[in-house]
Amino acid sequence: MPKPPMPHVAASEEIHELASLYSLGLLEPELAAGFEKHLETGCSVCEGELRSFTEAAAQIAQTVDQVAPPEHLREKLLQRIAPAPERVICRTDELEWHPLPFPGISAKRLFMDPVSGSITTLVRMSPGSSYPAHHHAGVEHLYMLEGDLAFRDHTLHAGDYEVSVPSSDHSPVTTNNGCLVLIMHNHNDQILAHV
């Protein structure tokens, strides 16, 4: 969405959209900065639109009854906004393996950043097990600690490292001899199809 031209004679659909998103704090930072700069020029059309949307949002907020959130939701929110520790140490031998919904595959979650969705996981696959094709929402780092991991077009072995960029897809994977893999991936990754 480009920043609005100067000066305006009447509000367009684009100006409505910019002013409404800006009034709610939902405009992307670069666009918000451009809109603010435009407002500094004294554009009365954009100022009027912004004032209208801001007043409407305030009126809506005043009509809503205040309700205390459930305690579990409050606790979950406080955990998410709590300052992150300077470091996290995992003693992997003290963590339990949790089975994944794919036979022969289990995992130990080592770390999750609730803000970025980044997850670090230790994955163990039994010989012959398969993991379905999947889409990467973020960067995926895969470091082979033991065994083999076969994709459609290549195989990784102990000591190999692979990185996949966001929006890329992995074919279904399998292991002949079993494997242990350290994976840094994203909570928003998606399974494309079951094997």
Side-chain angles (χ1 to χ4, degrees), residues 68-82:
E71 189 59 30
H72 74 279
L73 184 59
R74 182 179 181 281
E75 288 302 317
K76 190 174 183 179
L77 177 61
L78 289 175
Q79 287 175 357
R80 286 191 72 156
I81 63 174

Side-chain angles (χ1 to χ4, degrees), residues 96-108:
E96 290 190 33
W97 289 102
H98 296 280
L100 296 184
F102 313 106
I105 304 176
S106 55
K108 292 182 180 187

Side-chain angles (χ1 to χ4, degrees), residues 4-5 7-12 15-16 19 35 38-39 42-53:
H8 297 108
V9 177
S12 65
I15 292 170
H16 286 302
F35 190 64
H38 174 72
L39 289 171
C43 178
S44 61
V45 172
C46 288
E47 287 174 351
E49 285 297 305
L50 179 59
R51 186 173 39 262
S52 239
F53 282 112

Side-chain angles (χ1 to χ4, degrees), residues 2-41:
K3 70 180 180 184
M6 298 183 239
H8 297 108
V9 177
S12 65
E13 190 65 35
E14 182 180 17
I15 292 170
H16 286 302
E17 188 175 349
L18 282 169
S20 65
L21 291 173
Y22 183 85
S23 71
L24 296 171
L26 299 175
L27 204 55
E28 293 186 23
E30 186 177 302
L31 291 174
F35 190 64
E36 289 167 0
K37 192 170 191 166
H38 174 72
L39 289 171
E40 290 171 6
T41 68

Side-chain angles (χ1 to χ4, degrees), residues 148-175:
D148 62 273
L149 193 59
F151 296 85
R152 184 173 290 137
D153 59 350
H154 64 285
T155 300
L156 300 175
H157 300 279
D160 289 345
Y161 166 80
E162 178 178 272
V163 63
S164 299
V165 298
S167 297
S168 63
D169 296 332
H170 253 147
S171 66
V173 296
T174 188
T175 176

Side-chain angles (χ1 to χ4, degrees), residues 114-177:
V115 175
S116 70
S118 295
I119 302 173
T120 304
T121 308
L122 200 55
V123 176
R124 181 176 60 191
M125 296 177 67
S126 300
S129 61
S130 296
Y131 189 84
H134 54 282
H135 177 78
H136 303 121
V139 175
E140 179 187 80
H141 300 270
L142 191 149
Y143 181 68
M144 295 293 299
L145 299 170
E146 299 173 1
D148 62 273
L149 193 59
F151 296 85
R152 184 173 290 137
D153 59 350
H154 64 285
T155 300
L156 300 175
H157 300 279
D160 289 345
Y161 166 80
E162 178 178 272
V163 63
S164 299
V165 298
S167 297
S168 63
D169 296 332
H170 253 147
S171 66
V173 296
T174 188
T175 176
N176 292 322
N177 303 306

